[in-house]
Amino acid sequence: MNQLLKVFIMLIVIALTIGLKPAESNVETQTTDQRVKDLVSKMTLEEKVGQMTQVTIQAVSKVQGTGKQQHQIDLAKLEEAIIKYNVGSILNVYDVAHSIEYWHQVITEIQDIAKKKTRLGIPVIYGIDAIHGANYTKGSTLFPQAINMAAAWNKDLAEKCGSITSYETRASGIPWNFYPVMDIGRQPLWSRLWETFGEDVYLASQIGSSYIKGAQGNDISDAAKVATCLKHYVGYSFPINGRDRTPAWISERMMREYFLPTFEAGVAAGAPTVMVNSSEVDGIPGHANYHLLTEVLRNELNFKGFVVSDWEDIARLHTRDRVASTPKEAVKIAVMAGVDMSMVPYNFSFYDLLLELVKEGSVPMWRIDEAVSRILTVKMQLGLFENPYPNKELINNFAKSEFTEANLTAARESIILSKNEDNILPLSKESKVLITGPTANQLSPLNGGWTITWQGNDESLYPQEKHTIAEAIQNKIGVKNALYSQGCSFTEEINVKETIEAAKNADVVILCLGEPPYCESPGNIDNLTLNNVQLNFAQKIAAAGKPVILVMIEGRPRVISSIVPDMKGIILGFLPGMEGGDALADVIFGDFNPSGKLPVTYPRNANGITLYDYKPIENFDVNTYNPQWPFGYGLSYTTFSYSNLKISSKEITENETLKVSVDVKNTGETSGQEVVQLYLCDLYGSVTRPDRQLKGFEKISLNPGEIKTVTFALNKDHFSFIGIDNKRITEPGDFVVMVGDKKEKFTLTESKN
Ligand code: BGC
């Protein structure tokens, strides 16, 4: 090639390289970095410490009382917070969900002060728990809770849920959502189990990342996107005694194997904020854990965003945990461990103490600059400097019918059919049914906590136009054939005799049991078994002699083994959200073919908590693995068969990919969705290996007789585990891959290089 041509080609290559996306985004990052640097260089220490301070809206509101919808901002207090204390962030709702217009007013008042009355005009970042939709905005689209989103095993739905929730949250003027919960749900007693995407690392990572993708898109400055927050980093979900905010003992290896990977996935998906574990692991409170907050989160997971404390938890290092002998020491410990923003939340103590600490040299200036830079970067990424105000145009599409449709689809797909003796379900629409039980005729149990209020338990605030299970059934088959009689409340018998008589006159009884709504510590229980009032009621109803369909509405798998044999059909509804009543009626009467699969193990006995990925010793000698229903389980009104499981090679090295394919056929007479689940078993390892682990899944739809081939690709990530040295490794050896009832064995060999 002649010289001139070579130079010409080189020039083209250079031009193309400069024009490529990564180069562009580099330029953008540099600009944001530079902007942040410039701004930080102009800030006083007080302004910086203020940015690190977050207060609740209660702290800047007129007092108080419990008046619904009577919230009023106290402008004097708000000005004090923003002008005198320079607070960088405000959170929460005063008491109860506001109208979207009222949110606009509140956010505008806040940003007006920040923009027009402070020296540098730095916008406030408002944060909220929009857990299953914009639950603190009246009339929002309220999705099934996380446990149900996981039960749907549908990444597209999770993404849609993220995107609609973001739309409605940002439409309310709020750009920051304290969600998703990336804690792993391996302790079924825990009152926040339903806020998780279940017990499995792979499923939760996939569903959580899909949610983030939908919530953030490619650019969180987009008018309809928000910044997500991964919580509660890390190990919060595994309290030994099952009660919220109590200690976990998690070794370094188990932390890395079971609890860190979901956060790693969330960081990789681009979440720009992380909230800290409110409790303690191995004797170190989450907020004091330098190793996890800095060494692991920053240096290993490469997290670049900012870390916010949980509610009052820095102060609690002194008042509760006693790792700090004074409130001031608590602030120092938390900030130096790696907490960038303090959810104080009622006062300015953090601000005052941190100022003192910096002035006396106990907290270095570099640490303040680091924290503030991270916070300002997220504010810039959100576009708040350009426009901190609510976007009025977004109100138009708030809770539009398309969103309700998506919500109904999510609710339907999240419902699990776990027993269907003699194919009692679906019921004919001609059947005469009796609907009974404490969860039959209320919307609040379908939604759970974080709905309109924190505990979600004020039924009077729920939208009248939405349907309870009883109403949805009555709408479907007519009131004449669908009698409702309560029977019992969650804790007391109400009109049991009358209900039994009514049962005798029905063809089928639909018995709706479970839990009232709850959230965080108020949801603590000491016994996973459903209480006797409900279990006895179920037995009495069954004794009336008519087939009983049990519908469980609950945030965690309450043990029901004593009544399972008496039930002809069982539906596990968990917390299906605002469209849950309609979705359940659709499943019961066959307008929707159930496809939900358990995202947690359903225990048979309160003390028999052995999860699906148990270790060999848990099913050895006298130990047995015998859950009520296993993880991944769920029936359909049709049947599926698996055949032709193929693997691309019987032997691969860790740097190669194993392709797996399987044919799935709908062998029944109804169209249906099947969740094709791929499990892997590493037969021998230097650390005990689980019986099986989920490593892939895909939800497919099949018409009767239709066959689809589903393929998976497995690589090093899937074969690896945390070894004796607490590092992620792969080991050569034999593996079994399992899909449906089919298995294949392959060998992982040493890398050739
Ligand atoms: C919860 C968090 C929540 C925060 C703010 C805390 O009590 O643990 O999940 O984000 O409150 O409402």
Side-chain angles (χ1 to χ4, degrees):
M1 207 187 300
N2 77 33
Q3 271 315 101
L4 213 67
L5 192 63
K6 265 190 194 164
V7 171
F8 182 67
I9 290 173
M10 257 171 65
L11 280 175
I12 290 182
V13 170
I14 290 168
L16 280 175
T17 315
I18 291 168
L20 283 178
K21 192 80 192 144
E24 267 175 28
S25 45
N26 254 342
V27 172
E28 271 166 31
T29 335
Q30 266 170 21
T31 322
T32 305
D33 288 353
Q34 200 47 54
R35 276 178 77 192
V36 168
K37 233 183 187 169
D38 290 349
L39 185 54
V40 172
S41 72
K42 290 184 197 131
M43 291 169 78
T44 62
L45 174 61
E46 286 73 11
E47 283 162 341
K48 291 176 185 173
V49 168
Q51 283 301 310
M52 296 169 69
T53 305
Q54 184 187 53
V55 294
T56 171
I57 193 166
Q58 275 121 321
V60 292
S61 297
K62 286 205 170 132
V63 234
Q64 297 271 318
T66 52
K68 290 166 189 167
Q69 292 293 316
Q70 286 167 14
H71 169 255
Q72 253 186 311
I73 284 278
D74 184 327
L75 275 178
K77 284 189 188 165
L78 185 61
E79 290 203 348
E80 183 190 38
I82 299 175
I83 302 170
K84 180 167 172 211
Y85 290 101
N86 309 293
V87 302
S89 180
I90 301 180
L91 87 149
N92 215 354
V93 70
Y94 181 76
D95 185 7
V96 61
H98 299 317
S99 71
I100 191 165
E101 290 79 11
Y102 187 68
W103 269 121
H104 279 214
Q105 190 186 320
V106 169
I107 301 293
T108 305
E109 276 170 349
I110 291 171
Q111 301 297 18
D112 266 349
I113 298 174
K115 203 174 161 77
K116 299 175 190 162
K117 297 192 176 174
T118 63
R119 196 174 71 90
L120 296 168
I122 301 174
V124 165
I125 180 169
Y126 203 100
I128 202 128
D129 299 282
I131 300 301
H132 64 128
N135 37 248
Y136 286 144
T137 305
K138 265 182 158 182
S140 61
T141 307
L142 291 182
F143 280 91
Q145 294 283 5
I147 192 142
N148 287 63
M149 294 309 298
W153 293 60
N154 185 331
K155 289 188 264 180
D156 295 340
L157 271 179
E159 190 176 330
K160 213 173 236 176
C161 167
S163 138
I164 293 172
T165 301
S166 268
Y167 183 97
E168 295 189 0
T169 305
R170 195 105 195 219
S172 311
I174 300 170
W176 184 21
N177 188 0
F178 303 132
Y179 197 69
V181 171
M182 294 303 261
D183 298 312
I184 282 289
R186 297 178 74 84
Q187 164 52 290
L189 276 170
W190 188 44
S191 57
R192 305 190 75 169
L193 183 88
W194 52 272
E195 291 184 53
T196 75
F197 297 117
E199 77 190 35
D200 180 67
V201 172
Y202 183 82
L203 178 63
S205 300
Q206 294 289 316
I207 300 293
S209 311
S210 304
Y211 179 93
I212 294 167
K213 192 169 159 206
Q216 299 196 158
N218 296 325
D219 178 5
I220 52 172
S221 73
D222 185 304
K225 298 293 174 196
V226 300
T228 57
C229 181
L230 310 174
K231 67 188 192 182
H232 308 77
Y233 183 85
V234 58
Y236 176 45
S237 58
F238 204 52
I240 302 170
N241 70 13
R243 299 175 86 84
D244 186 37
R245 291 181 161 83
T246 58
W249 295 356
I250 306 174
S251 72
E252 181 85 16
R253 179 164 33 260
M254 293 309 161
M255 182 62 93
R256 289 175 181 279
E257 190 71 80
Y258 294 98
F259 297 91
L260 278 170
T262 43
F263 286 92
E264 191 171 357
V267 170
T273 72
V274 163
M275 191 187 291
V276 185
N277 172 2
S278 230
S279 183
E280 63 171 70
V281 174
D282 297 347
I284 317 279
H287 291 73
N289 201 322
Y290 175 80
H291 171 61
L292 289 171
L293 289 173
T294 297
E295 291 175 345
V296 177
L297 182 64
R298 300 288 173 184
N299 305 347
E300 290 186 36
L301 305 194
N302 208 14
F303 175 64
K304 300 274 185 245
F306 73 85
V307 169
V308 61
S309 83
D310 201 345
W311 191 267
E312 217 182 308
D313 280 327
I314 295 183
R316 285 178 184 152
L317 292 179
H318 167 66
T319 56
R320 183 192 61 188
D321 303 322
R322 291 188 273 119
V323 293
S325 57
T326 61
K328 190 163 155 187
E329 195 190 352
V331 170
K332 179 179 167 185
I333 290 175
V335 170
M336 292 317 291
V339 182
D340 300 309
M341 181 184 277
S342 171
M343 192 185 285
V344 190
Y346 291 107
N347 54 44
F348 305 100
S349 53
F350 171 83
Y351 174 91
D352 291 330
L353 296 172
L354 186 54
L355 266 186
E356 279 177 33
L357 284 162
V358 182
K359 284 182 182 159
E360 73 194 27
S362 308
V363 167
M365 200 59 198
W366 66 260
R367 176 64 194 110
I368 301 295
D369 285 346
E370 179 181 70
V372 174
S373 303
R374 290 168 178 165
I375 295 165
L376 294 176
T377 301
V378 176
K379 290 187 177 186
M380 275 182 199
Q381 288 166 343
L382 279 165
L384 295 180
F385 281 87
E386 284 69 35
N387 181 9
Y389 294 104
N391 181 336
K392 292 209 165 41
E393 278 171 28
L394 295 180
I395 296 188
N396 297 332
N397 286 323
F398 187 84
K400 65 177 173 182
S401 57
E402 201 185 305
F403 293 177
T404 312
E405 271 305 306
N407 190 9
L408 178 63
T409 305
R412 284 164 151 183
E413 289 202 22
S414 74
I415 290 165
I416 299 156
L417 176 66
S418 65
K419 181 173 180 185
N420 197 12
E421 202 174 301
D422 304 327
N423 289 330
I424 175 102
L425 288 165
L427 299 180
S428 143
K429 286 183 189 153
E430 309 303 315
S431 325
K432 195 168 170 210
V433 303
L434 170 76
I435 311 151
T436 183
T439 57
N441 204 21
Q442 291 192 74
L443 291 167
S444 54
L446 297 171
N447 283 279
W450 303 114
T451 309
I452 307 170
T453 60
W454 175 46
Q455 291 296 309
N457 56 3
D458 192 338
E459 185 70 23
S460 71
L461 297 171
Y462 277 69
Q464 291 302 301
E465 69 279 10
K466 298 294 176 187
H467 303 137
T468 65
I469 302 173
E471 288 163 355
I473 293 175
Q474 287 172 340
N475 289 345
K476 195 173 282 291
I477 66 168
V479 182
K480 207 166 66 33
N481 277 341
L483 186 73
Y484 164 70
S485 174
Q486 187 180 348
C488 71
S489 73
F490 290 104
T491 49
E492 281 172 6
E493 295 197 341
I494 305 278
N495 56 344
V496 175
K497 269 197 185 144
E498 194 188 317
T499 308
I500 292 172
E501 285 315 305
K504 289 181 185 159
N505 293 326
D507 301 329
V508 183
V509 178
I510 298 171
L511 170 64
C512 306
L513 303 181
E515 297 188 312
Y518 55 85
C519 195
E520 301 188 50
S521 306
N524 283 347
I525 49 171
D526 291 316
N527 186 350
L528 196 57
T529 304
L530 195 66
N531 67 19
N532 280 335
V533 171
Q534 293 192 58
L535 293 176
N536 292 341
F537 178 60
Q539 261 147 4
K540 286 181 193 166
I541 284 290
K546 295 300 168 75
V548 182
I549 309 296
L550 173 64
V551 178
M552 288 302 293
I553 298 299
E554 54 187 349
R556 58 202 142 190
R558 300 301 291 265
V559 171
I560 49 171
S561 50
S562 63
I563 59 169
V564 167
D566 294 335
M567 304 291 123
K568 278 293 241 185
I570 300 181
I571 292 172
L572 306 173
F574 287 101
L575 302 173
M578 215 49 106
E579 306 304 319
D582 282 335
L584 282 157
D586 289 345
V587 166
I588 294 170
F589 292 94
D591 289 333
F592 186 79
N593 185 357
S595 62
K597 306 282 172 192
L598 273 166
V600 289
T601 302
Y602 207 108
R604 190 181 294 273
N605 296 298
N607 294 332
I609 315 280
T610 301
L611 305 187
Y612 91 94
D613 50 354
Y614 58 83
K615 294 298 186 74
I617 201 169
E618 292 177 272
N619 194 14
F620 184 76
D621 196 4
V622 293
N623 296 336
T624 48
Y625 169 66
N626 185 24
Q628 187 75 59
W629 297 290
F631 172 86
Y633 180 76
L635 302 169
S636 162
Y637 295 149
T638 188
T639 46
F640 300 98
S641 74
Y642 286 74
S643 61
N644 236 346
L645 179 65
K646 286 188 199 144
I647 54 175
S648 55
S649 173
K650 288 271 180 199
E651 245 189 49
I652 58 161
T653 69
E654 62 166 31
N655 297 324
E656 290 170 336
T657 300
L658 185 78
K659 294 215 177 87
V660 182
S661 69
V662 69
D663 293 344
V664 187
K665 180 175 183 187
N666 182 342
T667 47
E669 277 149 30
T670 317
S671 299
Q673 290 167 293
E674 169 71 332
V675 179
V676 183
Q677 304 167 34
L678 181 146
Y679 294 89
L680 209 56
C681 172
D682 180 358
L683 286 179
Y684 300 93
S686 53
V687 170
T688 58
R689 309 297 297 122
D691 177 70
R692 56 175 61 200
Q693 282 181 307
L694 182 75
K695 294 294 175 185
F697 66 89
E698 195 180 324
K699 194 166 197 177
I700 55 170
S701 298
L702 290 172
N703 291 321
E706 192 181 346
I707 302 178
K708 272 187 186 158
T709 303
V710 178
T711 57
F712 299 94
L714 299 178
N715 58 39
K716 195 172 169 175
D717 289 345
H718 303 106
F719 310 137
S720 69
F721 65 97
I722 306 298
I724 288 175
D725 295 339
N726 294 335
K727 302 228 160 60
R728 188 162 282 282
I729 56 164
T730 53
E731 276 177 356
D734 290 343
F735 286 76
V736 179
V737 59
M738 294 162 269
V739 188
D741 54 354
K742 300 287 176 277
K743 310 178 168 184
E744 277 292 334
K745 203 166 164 181
F746 67 92
T747 307
L748 194 67
T749 57
E750 293 280 3
S751 269
K752 280 158 200 144
N753 48 20

